[in-house]
Amino acid sequence: MTLTRPRALALASSAVVVAMVLSVAVGSHPLSPARVWEVWWTPDTTQASVAVHELRWPRTVVGLVAGAALGLAGALMQTLTRNPLADPGVLGVNAGAALAVVVASALTGVTSVGSSLWAALVGAFLAVGVVHVLGDTGSTGGSPARIALAGAAVPAAPSAIVQTVILADQEVFNEFRFWAAGSLDGRALGTAGTILPFVAAGVALAAALAPRLNALALGDDTGRSLGLDVRRTRLLTVVAVALLCAAATAAVGPIAFVGLGVPHVARALCGSDQRWVLPCSVLLGAAFLLVADVLGRVLGGTSEVQAGIVTAILGGPVFIAVVRRRRIEAL
């Protein structure tokens, strides 16, 4: 049963606040809310203050931005392809980013988060451009099926190159293994600052497209009968997804199931109107990634389970449930 839309957004906003509190307070050395509050306003050199200000708060901010981007990108992608099983990876973002990270590491020998970030951004945008060119065929533009097929075909070559390079270079393999798992560990506030302009542009574009996406979800012919420029709308939606996915993947690696599962929860809460589904997906995506990161810290004990692994564990049952449903909700 769907909630009233303001209540749905209020619930999603509350989830974000709770996830932020947990992200700052919970870890291998848990802190009480009172202690977090104390060191937040009066930072010092104690272990608790260092953990909050230098470790947990930066990764919380990065998780908020990346999770919001992935949740929104998933909602856009499912509407664009009219496929409830679609996620941002359909556009080849992960494959393009992975290839760029591996090639940059192999050629330059630099394996820092900053260098990987910019390489992943470039690779992701190039991959999306290739997918769009291949999928955008015909006089009226590419159909959802063509886009999905192009997105499935394009990653084959980059994946083969990635495997070749990492098998030949142990150092590159070690860096790629950490990045490919998807993690918020070690991310600084500067990472969030770098990707924020891309995410903000994607969010703004998605907000402007929301009314048109409602028409696009009805089908190309119906959309045209309502006066919608289908080809332009599809192109702008791909641009928005590219901005969001490239930024998030570059910052935290290819984290799966956030873009797949979050839009289903958003539609269950507030219906199928994209003007409400999109902001709800932003909030739920941020909350989900932060909760996954917190669980990774707790489950790992003294070590840590990467957030990408936790989202896969949590998202697997959601994927199975969606596939097994007899009637998949309208997008």
Side-chain angles (χ1 to χ4, degrees), residues 89-92 127-137 142-156:
V90 169
L91 288 180
V128 171
V130 172
V131 169
H132 179 69
V133 169
L134 294 178
D136 187 27
T137 57
S143 67
R146 285 173 177 156
I147 294 175
L149 287 173
V154 167

Side-chain angles (χ1 to χ4, degrees), residues 250-272:
V252 299
I255 293 182
F257 289 107
V258 177
L260 173 64
V262 162
H264 289 281
V265 179
R267 286 191 293 271
L269 290 176
C270 56
S272 59

Side-chain angles (χ1 to χ4, degrees), residues 15-37:
V16 173
V17 173
V18 172
M20 290 177 64
V21 173
L22 291 174
S23 181
V24 175
V26 178
S28 57
H29 299 286
L31 302 173
S32 67
R35 182 60 175 154
V36 171
W37 182 263

Side-chain angles (χ1 to χ4, degrees), residues 24-90:
V24 175
V26 178
S28 57
H29 299 286
L31 302 173
S32 67
R35 182 60 175 154
V36 171
W37 182 263
E38 178 185 353
V39 300
W40 178 259
W41 294 108
T42 56
D44 49 39
T45 58
T46 61
Q47 183 180 11
S49 181
V50 171
V52 169
H53 290 280
E54 298 183 16
L55 301 177
R56 296 180 185 176
W57 177 243
R59 70 191 293 169
T60 298
V61 175
V62 173
L64 281 173
V65 177
L70 291 173
L72 178 57
L76 291 172
M77 201 66 218
Q78 290 176 11
T79 302
L80 176 67
T81 61
R82 297 197 293 276
N83 181 357
L85 301 181
D87 73 351
V90 169

Side-chain angles (χ1 to χ4, degrees), residues 93 96-97 99-101 115-129 198 246-247 250:
V93 172
L99 176 62
V101 168
S115 62
S116 298
L117 175 66
W118 286 107
L121 277 172
V122 173
F125 279 119
L126 289 176
V128 171
F198 298 97

